[in-house]
Amino acid sequence: MNVHIVVLAAGKGTRMLSARPKVLHRVAGLPMIDHVLASATALQPKTTTVVVGYQAELLKAALSDHPGLTFVVQEPQRGTAHALLVAEPALRGQTGTLVLLSGDVPMLTPETLKRLLDRHTATGAAATVLTAMVDRPRGYGRIVRSGEQIARIVEERDASSAERDIREINSGIYAFALDGLFDAVRTIAPQNAQQEYYLTDLVAVYRQRGLGVETVTVSNADEIRGINSRNELAEVSRIVRQQKNDELMAAGVTIEDPATTYIDAAVQVGADTIIRPGVSLEGRTTIGASCEIHSGVRIVDSRIGDRVTVLNHCVVTNASIADGASVGPFAHLRNEADVREKARVGNFVELKKTVLGPGSKSMHLAYLGDATIGANVNIGAGTITCNYDGVKKNATVIEDDAFIGSDSQLIAPVTVGKGAYVGSGTTVRVDVPAGSLAVSAGKQRNIEGWVEKKGKKSKTTE
Ligand code: UD1
Ligand code: CA
């Protein structure tokens, strides 16, 4: 059985009041349409067509990493039936079932899609509508039945007050037999409050022709929630976030305050890791087992090993922290920062494109950029790798067991050899050979009696 997917995503999303296409607004870190496309792949479709319109180029570019999508442009956007007709050329000569999805319904599960398809196939219906029973049907099309059978779908704007009381709603998701579909859709006229071509009218068209129209009702109505406003975006995001937190807790992760914990859909966290309140774990982040992530930490697209501690208010983006290491509080790891096993990074330390080797430490106030630091190195407070000469970035190498005294500057490119020492306050301009001590500060002079001669009062008397 051939399955073809069409995703409607041409609408402006007027109620969002946004310059961006609605379907690119993110839910749990991913554009809402990405969630839809991810569920769709479970049906192993032969083709997937996305109907774009408003900001079509932007949307196409945003979806360019999805393989095998065909885009068709609907301009202007005259309604959901018109949108489906725009996809017709992309499906010419195809047979089987068309599953129609909405780019703004991101919580739909693959299981529900399979149920829809199975029922559609088993009954041999011309169309199968996915519906839900809800307490507050406002804003959705209502399912009007005659007896057991679905008779038609009426949009909120066009519904009588009795119809508005119907609690069974249209999800906007359907399975259609491709045979005869487009000819039937062409008969739909824009006779409604919005003067649009409504795909929902196809139900009545099919029923009048005596064709089979079936329904499948989702058990969890949240799944088919559509996003039309910022408010609904927040509501759906909250549900998705809660689902993710529940999933992780069920797998052995402690989340102290799920209400303030933001974990994107693709993030992985190992068992026995403790996540304190107010943490954001984003993008493709993976966190190992038995870690502790403290309040106010944000981790984006990063790899964290096992038994890692990230203390309060660290920002970690595109970085990696190996087993047993400890970072923070107030550390900034970015752009390929690579903290190796049992290394320690303390407060107000920034690492960029830098390897901090196993067991090495940088505990206070440092900038380490474009540096390769070996094992068991001590980086003193206030150390700076001067990696930028105004034109290009240069590398610093600090070999195993070296000791960099506080308030030192390493003017790159430069190498500090194995076991070498750099004295406090040294400006390192040339390589330091292994085993030697580098000092650059001049000799200290004390001018005795200077304070009294200047007539200054000793501060301690105040
Ligand atoms: C639609 C259904 C409604 C259903 C609801 C479920 C119709 C007429 N109504 O209403 O019965 O309860 O979805 O969420 O179908 N789109 C296009 N081109 C267009 C118009 C819309 O591609 O010309 C796309 C939109 O980008 C969106 C989807 O179709 O992804 C649904 O459109 P929207 O305007 O949100 O329809 P609703 O009013 O929510
Ligand atoms: Ca909608």
Side-chain angles (χ1 to χ4, degrees):
M1 159 63 83
N2 290 329
V3 177
H4 301 274
I5 303 271
V6 172
V7 182
L8 300 190
K12 178 169 190 279
T14 311
R15 289 161 278 182
M16 294 293 282
L17 303 174
S18 176
R20 293 164 62 72
K22 173 170 74 174
V23 296
L24 287 185
H25 285 261
R26 287 167 186 268
V27 170
L30 281 179
M32 58 178 102
I33 193 169
D34 281 49
H35 293 270
V36 176
L37 292 169
S39 294
T41 57
L43 298 180
Q44 295 177 299
K46 194 173 170 211
T47 67
T48 302
T49 304
V50 182
V51 183
V52 297
Y54 177 68
Q55 300 253 3
E57 291 312 312
L58 191 69
L59 190 47
K60 280 193 220 174
L63 295 177
S64 60
D65 55 340
H66 289 264
L69 295 183
T70 302
F71 293 98
V72 295
V73 180
Q74 182 199 19
E75 189 58 60
Q77 293 96 43
R78 296 204 179 113
T80 44
H82 176 244
L84 180 55
L85 282 179
V86 171
E88 184 180 15
L91 289 156
R92 192 152 288 141
Q94 301 285 7
T95 57
T97 304
L98 186 154
V99 173
L100 187 87
L101 303 175
S102 244
D104 64 348
V105 182
M107 286 195 283
L108 187 70
T109 61
E111 293 71 36
T112 297
L113 270 180
K114 281 185 195 143
R115 267 184 65 215
L116 175 72
L117 187 61
D118 286 350
R119 177 142 178 92
H120 180 77
T121 312
T123 58
T128 306
V129 183
L130 187 67
T131 75
M133 294 299 298
V134 295
D135 292 331
R136 289 180 302 155
R138 230 187 124 208
Y140 291 94
R142 309 296 204 280
I143 305 295
V144 181
R145 291 185 181 266
S146 72
E148 294 283 278
Q149 288 281 325
I150 181 170
R152 59 195 178 88
I153 299 173
V154 62
E155 291 304 297
E156 166 116 3
R157 282 188 175 87
D158 307 300
S160 65
S161 67
E163 286 167 340
R164 282 185 192 189
D165 289 340
I166 296 173
R167 289 174 45 237
E168 188 179 12
I169 59 158
N170 172 30
S171 66
I173 290 151
Y174 322 83
F176 296 117
L178 265 172
D179 188 24
L181 173 66
F182 294 107
D183 287 338
V185 174
R186 256 186 286 278
T187 68
I188 292 171
Q191 282 155 356
N192 50 61
Q194 291 203 108
Q195 307 268 292
E196 280 188 1
Y197 295 85
Y198 284 173
L199 185 57
T200 44
D201 289 349
L202 188 67
V203 172
V205 170
Y206 274 178
R207 294 292 290 137
Q208 277 152 22
R209 292 182 185 180
L211 293 172
V213 182
E214 292 290 331
T215 57
V216 167
T217 306
V218 284
S219 40
N220 173 10
D222 277 344
E223 261 192 56
I224 55 102
R225 275 204 197 210
I227 297 176
N228 299 305
S229 63
R230 306 270 179 170
N231 211 289
E232 286 167 353
L233 177 65
E235 274 177 38
V236 167
S237 298
R238 185 183 54 74
I239 295 167
V240 171
R241 204 158 71 226
Q242 194 176 317
Q243 284 169 352
K244 180 69 184 182
N245 289 343
D246 288 346
E247 205 178 279
L248 289 173
M249 289 189 283
V253 177
T254 293
I255 298 180
E256 288 189 349
D257 184 17
T260 62
T261 304
Y262 295 73
I263 305 180
D264 284 354
V267 172
Q268 295 172 21
V269 185
D272 271 332
T273 284
I274 297 171
I275 300 175
R276 316 267 343 242
V279 166
S280 290
L281 306 177
E282 302 174 27
R284 308 202 174 278
T285 293
T286 60
I287 295 186
S290 303
C291 294
E292 196 157 339
I293 314 294
H294 287 255
S295 298
V297 168
R298 176 169 184 237
I299 304 178
V300 185
D301 293 329
S302 296
R303 298 150 305 280
I304 315 294
D306 298 331
R307 299 176 306 284
V308 169
T309 303
V310 183
L311 293 166
N312 304 65
H313 303 292
C314 289
V315 177
V316 179
T317 56
N318 188 23
S320 96
I321 307 175
D323 297 353
S326 162
V327 170
F330 302 104
H332 187 191
L333 271 49
R334 62 185 178 94
N335 197 357
E336 296 170 35
D338 183 356
V339 176
R340 298 282 168 88
E341 295 74 20
K342 296 194 175 162
R344 291 175 64 194
V345 176
N347 45 198
F348 307 111
V349 173
E350 178 181 358
L351 260 68
K352 185 220 76 171
K353 274 198 183 160
T354 285
V355 178
L356 184 66
S360 290
K361 286 188 238 171
S362 175
M363 295 304 288
H364 332 266
L365 299 159
Y367 172 60
L368 304 170
D370 303 288
T372 306
I373 300 167
N376 303 314
V377 169
N378 187 82
I379 306 284
T383 297
I384 292 173
T385 53
C386 307
N387 58 331
Y388 186 48
D389 58 15
V391 179
K392 62 182 190 307
K393 301 289 169 70
N394 300 300
T396 299
V397 176
I398 302 174
E399 293 179 357
D400 295 352
D401 307 312
F403 181 99
I404 311 296
S406 298
D407 193 27
S408 297
Q409 305 88 50
L410 302 147
I411 316 279
V414 75
T415 297
V416 177
K418 186 170 159 53
Y421 273 62
V422 170
S424 287
T426 298
T427 302
V428 180
R429 294 178 187 277
V430 293
D431 291 355
V432 181
S436 41
L437 167 68
V439 283
S440 68
K443 206 174 169 213
Q444 179 179 331
R445 285 191 307 144
N446 292 336
I447 303 169
E448 288 185 17
W450 181 87
V451 175
E452 201 170 345
K453 253 186 269 166
K454 283 276 175 193
K456 292 203 172 168
K457 272 196 227 157
S458 171
K459 282 194 176 142
T460 52
T461 63
E462 285 172 12

